[in-house]
Amino acid sequence: MTGSARRRTGDSRYGGRVPLVAAAVCPHPPLLVPDVAGSAAPELDDLRAACDTAVRRLLATDPDIVVLLGTGPVTGPIRTPATGSLQPWGVDLDVPLVPDQPDRGAVLPLSLTIGAWLLARHDTRPPVTAVQVAADAGPAELAALADEVGAAGDRVASLVLGDGSACRGEKAPGYDDARALPYDQRVAAALADADLDALLDLDPVVSTELKAAGRAPWQVLAAAARAAGGGWRGELLHDSVPYGVAYFVASWERA
């Protein structure tokens, strides 16, 4: 059955709409972009390949819109046109949210810049929109943003950008913290199992102390998945800690 046929017949308890049909979870280190990584680019080849797989699966679900979701300075949508830049990381590279957009428009935060870059690596491009969530966003903000993600279209797919803890070892950005490993193990298991409760239960204070940039976006994803109803099937495609920061890649689809 094609996507248009699914939309005509309806396969959801929400008046024939399935607000969220799939998600891909990826990290957003600038080094994911080979031009930024330079000679170190091969160190993240496996991570890059896993992200490509997750995005490819996301697009294969035939969404009518893709919502990029990641941390930013405030909570809310970013209207198109919008452009991210990798100049702060030493590379003169602009990443537009939408190909061939008329002007630079709004500024994308790093998370959504990397998300737009990941999408641009694929030929199939449904309409794209972007929402950002503040790292310290509380339950009310997260719930409102989840509703906005679900209302973006009839068949919504979300590319969710977020890193795990940054405290895995003495050379990590946040130095070493004994809580980081169990925290990341919990996140990895939750992403692998599409465990909405486990993600929603992540402690925002501990997440901040461990510099886990993905906490708020993961919780928006979990809330949007819960609002969509039904069961979810997850697969963890990648789990590594190359620079003292935990990077996860996961693929979610409706069960």
Side-chain angles (χ1 to χ4, degrees):
M1 183 182 292
T2 66
S4 59
R6 279 193 298 265
R7 287 189 286 274
R8 286 195 300 270
T9 59
D11 49 6
S12 167
R13 61 196 174 97
Y14 289 87
R17 290 183 61 238
V18 179
L20 183 71
V21 297
V25 176
C26 296
H28 54 75
L31 292 176
L32 198 59
V33 180
D35 288 347
V36 175
S39 61
E43 297 177 8
L44 295 184
D45 278 350
D46 289 347
L47 174 60
R48 210 171 286 115
C51 289
D52 285 339
T53 297
V55 174
R56 190 160 50 246
R57 290 185 183 182
L58 185 81
L59 297 174
T61 62
D62 191 26
D64 59 20
I65 191 167
V66 174
V67 178
L68 294 184
L69 169 63
T71 54
V74 297
T75 296
I78 297 179
R79 304 301 182 192
T80 55
T83 304
S85 175
L86 292 169
Q87 287 184 346
W89 292 272
V91 174
D92 188 14
L93 177 63
D94 288 338
V95 184
L97 179 61
V98 178
D100 303 319
Q101 63 186 27
D103 53 57
R104 292 181 57 85
V107 177
L108 293 174
L110 172 63
S111 63
L112 301 182
T113 298
I114 297 301
W117 180 83
L118 286 170
L119 276 181
R121 291 165 63 84
H122 300 264
D123 293 333
T124 303
R125 292 294 301 273
V128 178
T129 188
V131 293
Q132 59 184 336
V133 55
D136 60 352
E141 285 181 276
L142 298 176
L145 197 58
D147 289 342
E148 186 159 344
V149 170
D154 289 334
R155 289 181 56 82
V156 179
S158 184
L159 175 52
V160 182
L161 290 307
D163 300 344
S165 78
C167 300
R168 296 281 295 276
E170 294 181 357
K171 294 184 179 181
Y175 196 64
D176 189 48
D177 192 312
R179 299 171 297 172
L181 176 58
Y183 179 95
D184 290 331
Q185 289 174 330
R186 180 182 181 187
V187 171
L191 293 176
D193 297 336
D195 187 335
L196 310 185
D197 287 334
L199 292 176
L200 290 170
D201 286 343
L202 291 174
D203 188 307
V205 175
V206 173
S207 299
T208 298
E209 291 172 349
L210 295 177
K211 302 185 183 300
R215 189 275 305 179
W218 298 330
Q219 290 186 326
V220 173
L221 167 61
R226 173 156 291 168
W232 288 84
R233 178 175 58 250
E235 182 179 355
L236 188 67
L237 303 176
H238 187 91
D239 178 359
S240 68
V241 193
Y243 309 119
V245 181
Y247 297 147
F248 309 110
V249 180
S251 178
W252 283 18
E253 293 185 6
R254 295 179 65 87

